[in-house]
């Protein structure tokens, strides 16, 4: 009997939403406890700041450039390499419960495998495994569509379906409607009972799958919560946990419009264009919403609801870990907690996400609690790591070799281990083509610098970039790209960035849907 693996992911969760990372709004004692017992990473970065490329990186252990999912709406091929395949072949039982999103959600004709599978074959793939998973129960952020949660809610609790925020408006565009007390975009009062909200459903279905395993089984379970991604519509019964009126504004939100605009004007031009509502480069940011209209109270209400969702996830994870302990598996259990990317949440006067490579979106919560039986000492790692390193870590935990196609390395257990094995930099990339606008960014985080180089696109000629000193400017408000004093630093980082670009996929995958 070997070590079991529980991978817990959320969707669009900031680094600073956890108490162990300095967060003060949401109470997260379960994850904080894992951090105290395990390894907490201070500089974990995503390889893409949107869902599908990032989730494909978690599964494959490859950069978006290599696995080919270069933006949302580009489906990951069904035969793409998968760490779940490696573990399944090694004798592990495998499951993915919650949000997968390796293929587009906008799929009314069931062109994509996972949508068709959920609507026809139930939870066990017809061929025995799918992407290495022998059990799948999938969900997304609401109650519509063909995935398992939506079908379950429609069958068992149809009265609750309309409580969720409608993701699309009447024109099939991302909904810009506001709600709550402040009219904040994508906020809605949801009267759903907490017990049937998708957070508790994911935990319930995870416990159900674990209860079907034999005591001596080895298993890998990816438990994937859809929250705290927008829309912000947690159960109404839970919203009162945090009074938005008492929520402090985030440090990254300048209260004066003139200050916000001056910061944005120092960045590449697509920042200010989005703020003014004249350019949208990510489908999930409502095209009819103008960020310049965002108010301080709306930032407070969004952050309060986001924090409530983080608390519900923490409590749901606690239930799952409690059941694992009851089964006697805890001593041999590795738990990894992370997310796919962050959320702006008012920083720079913005919400949602897009081609904006700053800590709000790139820096991730990442906690690894190694199995207590491994006797791994608790540690805090300050060296840079990425989601590309998760798949090799799972192979190492299982005691199997890391396949050559994986591009990351097993996570370090402390900074000395990181230094010995060369964890010096972490890369993030962005490519998008949407609404006639294309944006292409490559970013390196090394030492205390974040450096982004822009390739030619609709809004950029290829000479633009961003350079931030995290020691002096942790909020990344002062762009040093064109500052002569930092030219040598910039040139060194840009050279390092291009020297370490991953191998591209031989043929470019097609964009099939917006998201």
């Amino acid at each position: 009997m070997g070590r079991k693996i529980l991978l817990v992911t959320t969707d669009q969760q900031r680094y600073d939403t956890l108490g162990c990372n300095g967060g003060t709004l949401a109470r997260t004692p379960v994850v904080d406890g894992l951090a105290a017992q395990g390894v907490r990473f201070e500089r974990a970065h995503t390889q893409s700041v949107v869902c599908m490329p990032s989730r494909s990186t978690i599964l494959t252990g490859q950069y978006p450039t290599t696995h080919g999912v270069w933006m949302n709406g580009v489906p990951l091929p069904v035969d793409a390499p998968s760490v779940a395949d490696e573990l399944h072949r090694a004798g592990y039982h495998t499951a993915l419960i919650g949000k997968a999103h390796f293929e587009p959600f906008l799929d009314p004709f069931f062109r994509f495998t996972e949508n068709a599978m959920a609507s026809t074959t139930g939870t066990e793939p017809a061929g025995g495994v799918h992407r290495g998973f022998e059990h799948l129960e999938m969900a997304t952020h609401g109650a519509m569509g063909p995935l398992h949660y939506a079908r379950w809610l429609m069958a068992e609790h149809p009265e609750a379906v309309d409580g969720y925020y409608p993701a699309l408006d009447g024109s099939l565009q991302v909904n810009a409607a506001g709600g709550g007390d402040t009219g904040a975009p994508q906020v809605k009062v949801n009267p759903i009972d907490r017990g049937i909200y998708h957070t508790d459903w994911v935990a319930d279905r995870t416990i159900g799958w674990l209860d079907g395993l034999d005591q001596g089984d080895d298993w890998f379970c990816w438990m994937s919560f859809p929250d705290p991604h927008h829309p912000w519509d947690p159960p109404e019964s839970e919203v009162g946990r945090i009074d938005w009126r008492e929520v402090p504004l985030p440090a990254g939100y300048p209260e004066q419009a003139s200050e916000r605009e001056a910061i944005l004007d120092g960045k590449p031009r697509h920042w200010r264009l989005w703020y003014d509502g004249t350019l949208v480069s990510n489908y999930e940011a409502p095209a009819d919403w103008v960020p310049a209209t965002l108010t301080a109270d709306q930032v407070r209400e969004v952050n309060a609801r986001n924090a409530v969702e983080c608390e519900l996830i923490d409590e749901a994870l606690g239930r799952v870990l409690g059941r694992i302990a009851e089964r006697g598996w805890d001593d041999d259990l590795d738990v990894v907690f992370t997310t796919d990317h962050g959320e702006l949440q008012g920083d720079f006067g913005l919400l949602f996400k897009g081609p904006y490579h700053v800590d709000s979106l790139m820096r991730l919560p990442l906690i690894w609690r190694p199995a207590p039986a491994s006797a791994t000492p608790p540690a805090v790692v300050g060296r840079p790591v990425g989601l590309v390193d998760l798949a090799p870590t799972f192979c190492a935990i299982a005691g199997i070799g890391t396949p050559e196609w994986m591009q990351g390395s097993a996570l370090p257990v402390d900074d000395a281990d990181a230094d010995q094995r060369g964890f010096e930099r972490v890369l993030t990339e962005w490519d998008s083509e949407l609404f006639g606008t294309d944006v292409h960014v490559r970013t390196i985080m090394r030492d205390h610098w974040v450096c982004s180089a822009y390739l030619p696109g609709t809004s950029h000629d290829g000479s633009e970039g961003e350079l931030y000193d995290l020691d002096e400017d942790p909020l990344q408000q002062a762009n040093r790209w064109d500052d002569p004093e930092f030219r040598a630093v910039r040139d060194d980082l840009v050279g390092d960035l291009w020297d370490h670009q991953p191998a591209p996929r031989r043929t470019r995958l097609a964009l099939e849907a917006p998201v």
Side-chain angles (χ1 to χ4, degrees):
M1 186 169 69
R3 287 160 67 174
K4 290 90 172 94
I5 304 169
L6 178 65
L7 168 61
V8 184
T9 57
T10 60
D11 195 352
Q12 202 161 300
Q13 183 171 1
R14 291 172 60 107
Y15 169 87
D16 56 12
T17 56
L18 298 179
C20 60
N21 289 339
T24 59
L25 196 52
R27 294 162 293 186
T28 55
V30 175
V31 178
D32 297 347
L34 293 172
Q37 301 165 27
V39 185
R40 182 174 66 84
F41 296 87
E42 291 192 319
R43 272 292 158 187
H45 280 217
T46 184
Q47 278 54 77
S48 172
V49 295
V50 285
C51 298
M52 289 180 64
S54 184
R55 290 167 178 275
S56 297
T57 288
I58 294 173
L59 185 69
T60 65
Q62 296 179 336
Y63 290 90
T65 289
T66 304
H67 62 59
V69 181
W70 51 276
M71 72 171 284
N72 275 353
V74 178
L76 181 69
V78 173
D79 60 355
S82 162
V83 67
D85 261 330
E86 299 298 310
L87 295 171
H88 187 262
R89 282 195 290 267
Y92 275 68
H93 291 283
T94 54
L96 194 164
I97 299 170
K99 184 175 178 182
H101 206 191
F102 306 126
E103 299 173 344
F105 283 151
L106 290 184
D107 183 22
F109 303 110
F110 298 156
R111 291 188 296 147
F112 305 115
T113 304
E114 279 135 36
N115 295 324
M117 179 188 306
S119 65
T120 58
T121 62
T123 60
E124 316 304 321
V129 293
H130 172 70
R131 302 192 190 277
F133 296 105
E134 59 191 48
H135 181 93
L136 296 101
E137 292 185 72
M138 293 175 284
T140 183
H141 311 288
M144 304 305 291
L147 299 180
H148 297 92
Y149 174 69
R151 294 175 60 236
W152 172 83
L153 195 68
M154 182 65 76
E156 300 294 331
H157 302 279
E159 75 287 350
V161 169
D162 290 339
Y164 278 100
Y165 183 93
L168 302 179
D169 61 20
S171 301
L172 298 182
Q173 298 300 312
V174 174
N175 202 338
D181 295 324
T182 66
Q186 297 231 340
V187 167
K188 184 179 184 295
V189 174
N190 187 352
I192 193 171
D193 181 79
R194 173 186 171 173
I196 59 174
Y197 186 66
H198 49 62
T199 294
D200 276 1
W201 181 87
V202 168
D204 290 342
R205 300 317 307 143
T206 299
I207 291 170
W209 181 74
L210 292 171
D211 281 348
L213 300 178
D214 292 335
Q215 195 64 29
D217 288 342
D218 293 331
W219 50 265
F220 168 69
C221 182
W222 184 346
M223 180 169 64
S224 180
F225 293 104
D227 272 350
H229 188 290
H230 61 275
W232 296 286
D233 56 356
E236 182 180 8
S237 62
E238 309 303 314
V239 170
R241 291 167 176 249
I242 299 171
D243 185 347
W244 67 263
R245 297 166 186 84
E246 299 178 0
V247 171
L249 288 168
Y253 175 77
E255 290 195 58
Q256 298 300 317
S258 59
E259 185 181 357
R260 292 195 296 272
E261 291 163 6
I263 291 169
L264 293 170
D265 286 342
K267 298 177 182 292
R269 63 193 300 265
H270 73 294
W271 283 84
R272 181 62 190 268
L273 290 173
W274 183 35
Y275 177 81
D276 290 335
T278 58
L279 177 147
V280 177
S281 52
N282 175 49
Y283 182 76
E284 292 181 56
D288 291 337
W289 177 68
V290 178
T293 65
L294 181 69
T295 69
D297 278 351
Q298 289 175 343
V299 172
R300 291 185 175 96
E301 186 168 25
V302 164
N303 284 346
R305 286 171 170 268
N306 183 283
V308 168
E309 293 174 351
C310 291
E311 289 192 359
L312 296 180
I313 290 167
D314 194 76
E315 292 167 9
L317 173 58
R319 287 201 296 117
V320 173
L321 293 177
R323 183 58 182 146
I324 288 170
E326 290 173 358
R327 293 292 305 268
W329 284 327
D330 187 64
D331 201 45
D332 294 316
L333 174 70
D334 284 72
V335 183
V336 172
F337 179 96
T338 190
T339 193
D340 51 358
H341 54 78
E343 152 72 48
L344 285 159
Q345 275 179 243
D347 285 358
F348 312 102
L350 303 171
L351 292 177
F352 310 116
K353 56 183 182 284
Y356 311 99
H357 283 182
V358 289
D359 275 5
S360 316
L361 300 183
M362 289 196 305
R363 191 183 187 188
L364 309 177
L366 175 58
I367 310 297
W368 173 26
R369 199 292 305 269
S374 72
T376 304
V380 176
V381 173
R383 304 298 186 263
V385 301
L387 293 181
V388 72
D389 300 317
L390 292 185
T393 302
F394 301 145
C395 291
I397 291 168
I400 60 178
T402 301
E404 290 185 1
W405 43 263
M406 290 186 185
Q407 294 172 307
S409 300
L411 289 168
V413 296
D414 54 32
D415 275 339
D417 181 27
D419 290 341
Q420 184 177 8
R421 296 197 286 123
F423 284 84
E424 299 177 18
R425 65 190 62 76
V426 61
L427 307 180
T428 302
E429 58 190 77
W430 174 282
D431 292 288
S432 64
E433 297 174 6
L434 183 71
F435 303 139
T437 297
D438 67 301
V439 181
H440 310 279
V441 192
R442 298 294 182 269
T443 297
I444 183 171
M445 185 273 159
R446 196 194 72 194
D447 302 324
H448 54 96
W449 296 95
V450 171
C451 180
S452 297
Y454 284 70
L455 285 72
T458 306
S459 302
H460 311 105
D461 63 15
S463 66
E464 302 92 335
E466 297 177 67
L467 179 65
Y468 303 105
D469 182 342
L470 296 174
D471 286 348
E472 299 297 324
D473 179 25
L475 298 178
Q476 295 151 305
Q477 295 180 343
N479 182 13
R480 302 299 186 183
W481 179 264
D482 290 322
D483 190 330
E485 181 181 348
F486 297 95
R487 182 60 184 265
V489 173
R490 184 187 101 177
D491 290 349
D492 175 53
L493 289 166
V494 170
D496 198 15
L497 171 65
W498 296 127
D499 285 347
H500 288 88
Q501 286 302 293
R505 180 183 171 86
R506 184 171 301 173
T507 57
R508 191 176 195 244
L509 297 177
L511 177 64
E512 300 280 356
V515 66

